[in-house]
Amino acid sequence: MIELAGLTKRYGEKVAVDRLTFTVRPGIVTGFLGPNGAGKSTTMRMLLGLDHPTAGDVRIDGLHYDQLKDPMTYIGALLDAKAMHGGRSAFNHLLCLAQSNGIPRARVHEVLDTVGLTAVAGKKAKGFSLGMGQRLGIAGALLGDPQILMFDEPVNGLDPEGIHWIRNLMKGLAAQGRTVFVSSHLMSEMALTADHLVVIGQGRLLADTSMADFIRANSRSYVRLRSPQQERLRDVLHEAGITVVEAGNGTLEVDGVGADRLGELAAGAGLVLHELSPQQASLEEAFMQLTAESVEYHAHSDPASSPPGAGPGAPSGGVSGPAPGWGEQWNQQQARKNEGA
Amino acid sequence: MAATQVLRSEWTKIRSVSSTVWTLGLAVVVSIGLGILISWLASNDFDNLGAKDRMGFDATAISFAGMGLGQLAMIVFGVLVVANEYSTGMIRTSLSAVPQRGTFLFCKIAVATLLALVVGLITAFIAFFAGQSVMGEHKASIGDAGVLRAVIGAGLYMTLIAVFSMGVAAMLRSPMLSLGILMPFFFLISNILGNVSATEKIGQFLPDQAGLKIMEVVSPVDDDTPYGPWGGFGIMALWVVAALIGGYVLLKKRDA
Ligand SMILES: Nc1ncnc2c1ncn2[C@@H]1O[C@H](COP(=O)(O)OP(=O)(O)OP(=O)(O)O)[C@@H](O)[C@H]1O
Ligand SMILES: [Mg+2]
């Protein structure tokens, strides 16, 4: 169990982590989601006592990190796979870590086997590919057979097979009752692995919710309509008691009514339809809307990207367009919180 | 965190990187090789010396002349042991494994110091006997007054040079910055400050200038150094302690 209470980190004027309070529970994979620069890595470094918090507190099983005796047996972490001396062999890298925490040498062989690096155990780490380095880092995290595992963007740069392996590893660890805390900036990745979600943006907590709730709240489906007789179509639908939202580019969007009924209504009124299509907004879009206001580094080159503040969504060119006001609840909630603060 | 665990871990770290072997190997080879060469040249030159210089002829100290260059390899050893943790990013992994930063730093330095001491003493004894063996009638004997102290002192000097470098590297973190400051300082600046009469008064209190006193058996004729062999060594040791405290305080305070 990891508990954060008002955890804050300032670098000079910049607030990297802003009063984060949440708990990471055992037995599930908790996804820690946020755009680049949101403060995920900084939070994880504070958790390991590497960075000193400016304010607030973070505890592991009720203790500060430096109060843990042989900390690797409580919590194993992979922050940066490159955080090792490239001139040292994989075996010796793990051996020196094991010795510092009183972990028997035999365990080094075990974890090398688990991550599939036995054959290259004697090779220098600097010759390793990205994926091998990542596996070695994970071997280090598993070394103390800890009840808590923490990974910072573990699938970054991995090939599909590597991603698949890590996904299953994390799920397996959680299924054994362990606490798994994993960061990512990809919602789609989290949707496949995480049971619980903690979303941050610019250091602030934006959401702390179960994956199921997040999907339920955000994977709304809707129907998109286009008609040369838009005004009339809108009136017809209105008379039928259906709420219509104008989504720009001459399209209308309707929530909670099937495409068949909408088609019949249009036909009944003799209206021409150019489009009548059921849509499903992706979780990625929900995430983008949620964090839109807090994204620090916008790519200004893309004129189609949503402006901060999530107005009527501009389609991002994918199969499905975002619904207007997507994730608006979260933004509003956040705005209220900020006003209160 | 049991210190014995951390000591064992740091020993694994130090023996499993090649920089340990080449830096220490270079220190041994350069100190001994250059020492033999200079000993041979000096003893051949003896007859050309003036009376004053003949009286000040220190066969023991001359056989350690190679350490002037060999100590640079010791500096590289000391710097890399500590600063490689930072340049490779290993420091975060290390401090996650051993969050007690004082324990981490001092176990690391203890292991490296012990290794430097063994290598330093071996170097000093070989440099002494090899150097004397080419000095013919001018040679000193290990049984002469002050000679054993000077030989052991030379080994201790090499050790403290390495430890001082570890302290500086712990403060500066970057291997390049540490080497860029320490190498010219010990190879040039300190020599100049210690030997130019205008700056001598201050220069003789610099770590290496003070520490070198312990290798001396015969004092120069008009020697006015305000400290003896162990006094000089004590001054050097104070510098080392200061560097270590600086390194510890900064490590404790800074984000890793
Ligand atoms: N040592 C530091 N000094 C100054 N600013 C820092 C430092 N470390 C992080 N920051 C700043 O703090 C903010 C949070 O950074 P952090 O690396 O924690 O983000 P992140 O969520 O891990 O991002 P990413 O997805 O890119 O890894 C960033 O704006 C970053 O520039
Ligand atoms: Mg990061």
Side-chain angles (χ1 to χ4, degrees), chain B residues 162-193:
Chain B
V163 186
F164 182 71
S165 307
M166 293 174 212
V168 171
M171 287 190 272
L172 298 179
R173 297 192 279 192
S174 150
M176 281 308 139
L177 183 61
S178 308
L179 290 176
I181 288 175
L182 288 170
M183 301 274 264
F185 179 81
F186 281 118
F187 198 59
L188 292 174
I189 299 168
S190 160
N191 273 320
I192 295 168
L193 291 180

Side-chain angles (χ1 to χ4, degrees), chain A residues 258-275:
Chain A
D260 41 4
R261 170 141 161 72
L262 293 170
E264 282 156 16
L265 280 168
L271 294 171
V272 174
L273 289 183
H274 287 173
E275 179 178 358

Side-chain angles (χ1 to χ4, degrees), chain A residues 11 14-17 34-43 45 51 152-153 185 200 296-297, chain B residues 92 255:
Chain A
Y11 294 109
K14 166 138 196 80
V15 184
V17 174
N36 291 129
K40 304 180 295 292
S41 300
T42 304
T43 303
R45 283 201 303 275
D51 281 20
D152 193 6
E153 312 216 7
H185 51 243
I200 64 169
E296 204 171 346
Y297 311 105
Chain B
R92 287 193 176 146
D255 288 337

Side-chain angles (χ1 to χ4, degrees), chain B residues 2-21:
Chain B
T4 49
Q5 292 177 13
V6 185
L7 288 171
R8 199 172 302 139
S9 157
E10 288 299 330
W11 171 243
T12 299
K13 278 189 193 173
I14 208 167
R15 70 170 174 75
S16 60
V17 292
S18 56
S19 60
T20 304
V21 178

Side-chain angles (χ1 to χ4, degrees), chain A residues 9 50 52 65 83 96 99, chain B residues 9 12 93 96 100-101 255-256:
Chain A
K9 180 67 183 181
L50 294 172
H52 305 294
Y65 190 80
C96 72
Q99 286 170 329
Chain B
S9 157
T12 299
T93 307
S96 307
Q100 292 75 23
R101 297 187 178 190
D255 288 337

Side-chain angles (χ1 to χ4, degrees), chain B residues 15-48:
Chain B
R15 70 170 174 75
S16 60
V17 292
S18 56
S19 60
T20 304
V21 178
W22 68 256
T23 50
L24 292 177
L26 209 59
V28 174
V29 170
V30 169
S31 301
I32 295 172
L34 198 60
I36 294 172
L37 183 68
I38 293 175
S39 299
W40 182 71
L41 291 173
S43 67
N44 283 349
D45 194 43
F46 188 84
D47 295 337
N48 303 330

